[in-house]
């Protein structure tokens, strides 16, 4: 009887710490052996000396999330997780969003119903807290954290989502006491509203003015404020989708002062600019509306520097899939509406890994080990999934990506597997793409088509993450 269900032979294994040549023995969905000339498996896969990395952990995606404005996200848990698998991602963490006037439990139950029987790969849930009532903070949130929902997101912008400063402090205090990781969308809502009103009054309504309404200073101010709140409470936070220099400077200041402030960035800030929203008044720029918006070319280098020097722990897609054509996506409020009424977000769950490997590792901007840390290991650690996810190690889930490199892999929406009718990276010519993706030892992408049984993905309960532990410095108040 073969010793293994599957053996991946002749792999150039890359982890966040090392690169080494090894066979990988898999049994019952887990890695059970690493070594040279392992015994036979029922199935043999020859990596032929190619790089093999842990499956990606995309810790910032939006699938089938209620929006409140009539728009509908194009990807549900089937199309979204299929697209992820084809791009080398084997774990996703979307958001169960609380609706104001409703409980967190209702949001969780609704999201489990939406996911039911669909995911191709494994998944966990973040919470989004929009209505931190005393019951939510004292009863629901601590209970849900104990049940394995150990991370949540809070917003400083969007009228339907944002918390007041006082509400943020109350919520951060619960995170500190319960050991949860807090993600913060940091933009100053009042500044954005003030600028938007004046742009619209002046007749500046085209998609390109979305970037004008959200200059870097509104991200800088909110990032500074979020850091100050976290310092006051003595709680770690993660600033998500950081776009440019001014917010980066705030995060680096906090890190240099010993604060546990983590940073996340996304492909749009490496490969798009404000010009991607259009240089004229056409509606085409709506395809690249996201928040914060892409900045200028100089800021692309700032983000690359942050990936290289350790400012950022996480590289996520912030996949927010709205179709360009049709009545329920970017045009939900009509054709050629003002920029503030265009559905906010862009797709990217399938292209995230290949973009960074091709343009980061293969160009020498970052190391292969840094790639693994940024796309898999660090997210698994920050959100309580490590060591089951995020590494190639004995006992870990057999989530693996075998890479094809050196050819030409054009980014074309017709080749992608999401349910969106465009990609903002159309026409880019990459030099790497996943050849095979394995999720718990099962092939879910064979280089030509998605594989595996619909609904095979498992829901993951997260443990309290070590990075969420407070510093335990002397607090202003005895919390």
């Amino acid at each position: 009887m073969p010793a293994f269900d599957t053996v991946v032979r002749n792999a150039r294994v890359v982890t966040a710490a090392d690169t080494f040549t090894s066979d990988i023995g898999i049994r019952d969905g887990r890695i059970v052996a690493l070594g040279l000339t392992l015994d036979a498996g029922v199935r043999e896969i020859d990596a032929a000396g190619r790089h093999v990395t842990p499956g990606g952990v995309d810790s910032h995606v939006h699938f089938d999330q209620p929006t409140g404005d009539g728009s509908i996200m194009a990807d549900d848990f089937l199309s979204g997780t299929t697209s992820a698998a084809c791009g080398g991602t084997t774990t996703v963490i979307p958001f169960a969003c609380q609706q104001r006037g409703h409980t967190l439990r209702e949001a969780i139950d609704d999201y489990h119903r939406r996911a039911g029987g669909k995911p191709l790969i494994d998944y966990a849930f973040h919470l989004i807290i929009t209505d931190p009532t005393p019951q939510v903070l004292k009863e629901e949130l601590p209970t849900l954290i104990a049940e394995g929902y150990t991370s949540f997101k809070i917003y400083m912008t969007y009228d339907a989502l944002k918390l007041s400063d006082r509400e943020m402090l109350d919520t951060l205090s619960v995170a500190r006491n319960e050991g949860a990781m807090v993600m913060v969308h940091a933009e100053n809502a009042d500044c954005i509203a003030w600028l938007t009103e004046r742009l619209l009054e002046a007749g500046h309504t085209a998609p390109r003015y979305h970037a004008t309404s959200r200059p870097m200073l509104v991200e800088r101010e909110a990032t500074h404020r979020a850091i100050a709140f976290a310092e006051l409470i003595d709680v770690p936070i993660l600033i998500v989708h950081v776009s440019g220099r001014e917010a980066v400077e705030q995060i680096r200041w906090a890190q240099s002062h010993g604060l546990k402030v983590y940073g996340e960035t996304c492909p749009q800030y490496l490969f798009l600019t404000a010009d991607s929203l259009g240089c004229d008044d056409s509606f085409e720029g709506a395809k690249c509306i996201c928040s914060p918006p892409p900045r200028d070319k100089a800021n692309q280098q700032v983000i690359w520097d942050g990936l290289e020097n350790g400012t950022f722990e996480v590289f996520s897609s912030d996949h927010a899939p709205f179709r360009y054509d049709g009545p329920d996506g970017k045009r939900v409020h009509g054709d050629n509406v003002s920029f503030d009424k265009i559905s906010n977000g862009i797709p990217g769950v399938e292209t995230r890994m290949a973009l960074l490997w091709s343009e980061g590792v293969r160009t020498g901007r970052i190391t292969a080990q840094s790639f693994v840390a940024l796309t898999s290991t660090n997210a698994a650690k920050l959100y309580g999934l490590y060591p089951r996810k995020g590494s190639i190690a004995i006992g870990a889930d057999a989530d693996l990506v075998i890479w094809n490199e050196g050819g030409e892999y054009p980014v074309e929406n017709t080749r992608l597997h999401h349910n969106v009718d465009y990609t903002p990276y159309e026409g880019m010519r990459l030099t790497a793409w996943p050849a095979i993706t394995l999720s718990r030892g099962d092939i879910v992408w064979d280089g030509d088509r998605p594989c595996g049984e619909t609904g095979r993905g498992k829901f993951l309960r997260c443990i309290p993450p070590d990075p969420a532990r407070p510093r335990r410095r002397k607090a202003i108040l005895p919390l």
Side-chain angles (χ1 to χ4, degrees):
M1 182 176 179
F4 307 105
D5 300 328
T6 301
V7 176
V8 179
R9 302 279 182 192
N10 307 308
R12 192 177 179 191
V13 174
V14 185
T15 70
D18 299 298
T19 300
F20 56 92
T21 299
S22 182
D23 298 340
I24 305 169
I26 300 167
R27 187 168 56 243
D28 297 329
R30 297 212 170 188
I31 297 169
V32 295
L34 295 169
L36 301 176
T37 63
L38 293 182
D39 290 343
V42 175
R43 176 176 57 191
E44 299 268 330
I45 299 173
D46 187 5
R50 290 174 290 184
H51 287 104
V52 178
T53 64
V57 178
D58 195 341
S59 55
H60 193 154
V61 299
H62 302 271
F63 296 153
D64 199 9
Q65 183 180 316
T67 61
D69 70 347
S71 60
I72 299 174
M73 290 190 171
D75 282 318
D76 64 7
F77 278 83
L78 176 56
S79 62
T81 58
T82 299
S83 183
C86 296
T89 290
T90 53
T91 303
V92 290
I93 315 181
F95 296 85
C97 182
Q98 179 195 23
Q99 304 298 306
R100 285 188 177 165
H102 295 269
T103 67
L104 286 173
R105 181 70 68 183
E106 287 175 290
I108 287 286
D109 291 346
D110 175 63
Y111 222 43
H112 277 295
R113 283 192 295 270
R114 291 168 183 263
K118 293 180 179 180
L120 182 65
I121 58 174
D122 295 347
Y123 61 105
F125 290 165
H126 302 298
L127 305 173
I128 292 177
I129 298 174
T130 65
D131 195 3
T133 64
Q135 179 183 353
V136 165
L137 295 178
K138 294 178 181 179
E139 299 176 20
E140 271 204 296
L141 187 52
T143 298
L144 288 170
I145 292 169
E147 291 178 8
Y149 305 92
T150 60
S151 55
F152 57 83
K153 185 178 182 182
I154 56 179
Y155 285 81
M156 302 174 76
T157 189
Y158 304 129
D159 289 343
L161 300 172
K162 67 183 180 182
L163 303 188
S164 69
D165 289 357
R166 176 63 180 268
E167 289 173 330
M168 285 184 65
L169 290 169
D170 287 339
T171 307
L172 289 170
S173 180
V174 175
R176 183 188 190 276
N177 292 337
E178 304 298 331
M181 178 59 68
V182 182
M183 311 161 73
V184 182
H185 180 139
E187 291 182 291
N188 184 302
D190 287 333
C191 288
I192 293 167
W194 188 87
L195 288 166
T196 297
E197 287 175 9
R198 278 146 185 79
L199 286 166
L200 298 180
E201 287 170 359
H204 299 316
T205 62
R208 62 191 174 113
Y209 293 105
H210 172 76
T212 311
S213 74
R214 299 174 113 96
M216 278 197 289
L217 73 87
V218 308
E219 186 183 10
R220 178 232 301 166
E221 188 281 331
T223 301
H224 177 88
R225 188 157 34 105
I227 290 169
F229 295 165
E231 183 180 12
L232 177 65
I233 301 296
D234 183 26
V235 63
I237 59 170
L238 189 152
I239 308 295
V240 296
H241 45 52
V242 175
S243 71
R245 184 190 70 256
E246 296 188 22
V248 168
E249 289 170 350
Q250 296 297 313
I251 293 169
R252 288 188 63 79
W253 178 91
Q255 292 169 343
S256 72
H257 285 74
L259 302 179
K260 295 178 76 170
V261 174
Y262 308 106
E264 172 205 87
T265 195
C266 309
Q268 49 266 40
Y269 307 121
L270 295 178
F271 303 110
L272 304 179
T273 68
D275 288 344
S276 302
L277 277 69
C279 298
D280 57 25
D281 288 349
S282 74
F283 195 72
E284 186 78 11
K287 292 179 177 179
C288 294
I289 282 185
C290 59
S291 297
R295 306 302 181 183
D296 58 20
K297 291 290 289 186
N299 272 281
Q300 289 182 340
Q301 186 58 51
V302 171
I303 300 302
W304 278 114
D305 291 344
L307 292 174
E308 182 180 2
N309 65 28
T311 302
F312 297 116
E313 278 75 22
V314 185
F315 184 74
S316 299
S317 68
D318 193 9
H319 180 77
F322 295 101
R323 295 178 69 85
Y324 178 67
D325 287 318
D328 54 13
K330 293 286 186 179
R331 303 174 189 267
V332 66
H333 295 294
D335 294 337
N336 298 315
V337 294
S338 58
F339 65 85
D340 60 315
K341 292 182 171 59
I342 297 170
S343 299
N344 201 318
I346 61 175
V349 71
E350 189 167 347
T351 49
R352 174 186 72 115
M353 299 270 283
L355 283 167
L356 191 61
W357 187 272
S358 180
E359 301 302 310
V361 178
R362 288 188 54 78
T363 62
R365 285 183 168 119
I366 62 172
T367 66
Q369 291 81 18
S370 292
F371 169 90
V372 170
L374 288 161
T375 61
S376 185
T377 308
N378 290 351
K381 290 180 176 180
L382 284 164
Y383 299 117
L385 294 173
Y386 189 84
R388 179 176 180 179
K389 303 293 185 182
S391 189
I392 298 176
I394 292 173
D397 284 352
D399 294 353
L400 306 170
V401 184
I402 302 173
W403 286 89
N404 276 337
E405 300 178 66
E408 189 172 90
Y409 304 91
V411 179
E412 298 171 350
N413 197 60
T414 55
R415 298 187 179 200
L416 301 179
H417 299 82
H418 59 201
N419 195 33
V420 189
D421 55 359
Y422 76 96
T423 170
Y425 311 108
E426 184 79 35
M428 289 188 65
R429 310 192 83 78
L430 305 184
T431 60
W433 197 268
I436 297 175
T437 305
L438 290 89
S439 168
R440 285 183 282 104
D442 296 335
I443 295 176
V444 290
W445 164 249
D446 67 4
D448 181 53
R449 61 185 180 84
C451 311
E453 184 179 348
T454 297
R456 63 166 298 283
K458 293 182 178 180
F459 176 71
L460 305 170
R461 298 191 183 276
C462 302
I463 62 174
D466 286 342
R469 292 179 180 174
R471 297 178 302 154
R472 302 294 180 188
R473 302 282 181 89
K474 184 178 180 180
I476 294 176
L477 290 175
L479 300 173

